[in-house]
Amino acid sequence: MSTSTRTIRNYARVLLNSALEIKDLQGVKNRFTEIYSLHKTVPEFRLLLVSKRIEQSTKLTVLSSILTETVSPFEIEFLKVLMDRGDISHLSAILTTFFSLVDRESDTVNVTITSATKLDESIQTKIVDSIKSEKNIKIAAKTMVNSDLIGGVKLRVGNTVIDGTVARRLEKLKTALSGA
């Protein structure tokens, strides 16, 4: 196991234990999910965190002002620790590991339902209820739209992917025909 992998796991465990200590595990997870989303989708946010040209006090002021409605001082303090120790570049991996630890701790499985068009609420509920009854687990579900799928549904249940999309079926057909 590399040093960075060990570092990432240690931060994730400390974050989990701290969230449990303040008795706000789900709240901390939800707030860090917002930070994770920003980190993944907004290049300027990532640049702000890792830039060596911007003073840390300025970074913290900017973070506090842009995240005021989203996070608590707990999350800002954690980001500060990562910046102080030069480990902010591992933020995405730390949060991914933290989310897995939280899910394991709470016996909740993340389910992502991806479809070509927005699904009706009733269809989403049927899919989630079906998985709940089959696996006998708690589920945290989110939906995504990907028009490249053409039709059908792609499910990610924990680390398992079930691909029932038209795009996948066409890909299989293409492979079968090219091999014949």
Side-chain angles (χ1 to χ4, degrees):
M1 183 183 314
S2 71
T3 304
S4 63
T5 303
R6 206 171 303 128
T7 300
I8 289 164
R9 286 188 180 166
N10 286 340
Y11 277 121
R13 283 189 194 113
V14 166
L15 188 53
L16 175 73
N17 291 334
S18 299
L20 288 168
E21 191 175 300
I22 64 171
K23 296 177 178 21
D24 190 20
L25 184 60
Q26 201 57 46
V28 170
K29 180 186 178 193
N30 292 344
R31 291 186 296 272
F32 271 117
T33 299
E34 293 296 323
I35 292 171
Y36 180 81
S37 177
L38 273 174
H39 190 265
K40 283 293 197 188
T41 60
V42 181
E44 295 83 4
F45 182 77
R46 283 192 305 277
L47 187 60
L48 170 68
L49 293 176
V50 298
S51 176
K52 294 185 186 329
R53 292 183 175 185
I54 303 170
E55 296 279 331
Q56 184 167 323
S57 59
T58 305
K59 288 180 186 183
L60 291 172
T61 302
V62 170
L63 286 172
S64 294
S65 68
I66 63 173
L67 298 174
T68 297
E69 302 294 320
T70 310
V71 301
S72 72
F74 178 87
E75 291 80 24
I76 297 293
E77 185 62 30
F78 184 76
L79 294 175
K80 180 183 180 302
V81 168
L82 291 179
M83 286 188 274
D84 285 345
R85 296 185 176 188
D87 291 324
I88 196 70
S89 62
H90 298 300
L91 180 63
S92 182
I94 292 167
L95 292 181
T96 300
T97 304
F98 168 68
F99 297 150
S100 295
L101 292 173
V102 170
D103 291 345
R104 213 173 299 143
E105 183 74 23
S106 63
D107 296 327
T108 300
V109 174
N110 286 324
V111 173
T112 305
I113 305 167
T114 309
S115 60
T117 59
K118 185 171 177 5
L119 295 175
D120 290 338
E121 195 68 37
S122 63
I123 294 173
Q124 291 176 33
T125 303
K126 283 180 186 177
I127 292 170
V128 169
D129 289 346
S130 174
I131 296 168
K132 276 183 188 176
S133 66
E134 186 176 315
K135 300 270 189 189
N136 198 22
I137 52 175
K138 294 182 210 168
I139 290 179
K142 70 177 180 180
T143 59
M144 295 174 58
V145 174
N146 180 350
S147 58
D148 293 340
L149 300 180
I150 305 169
V153 175
K154 183 177 186 178
L155 295 176
R156 183 180 187 100
V157 181
N159 291 327
T160 304
V161 176
I162 303 160
D163 194 339
T165 62
V166 173
R168 177 70 179 138
R169 289 183 196 151
L170 290 172
E171 186 180 304
K172 281 180 166 181
L173 181 60
K174 178 182 171 186
T175 303
L177 291 174
S178 66

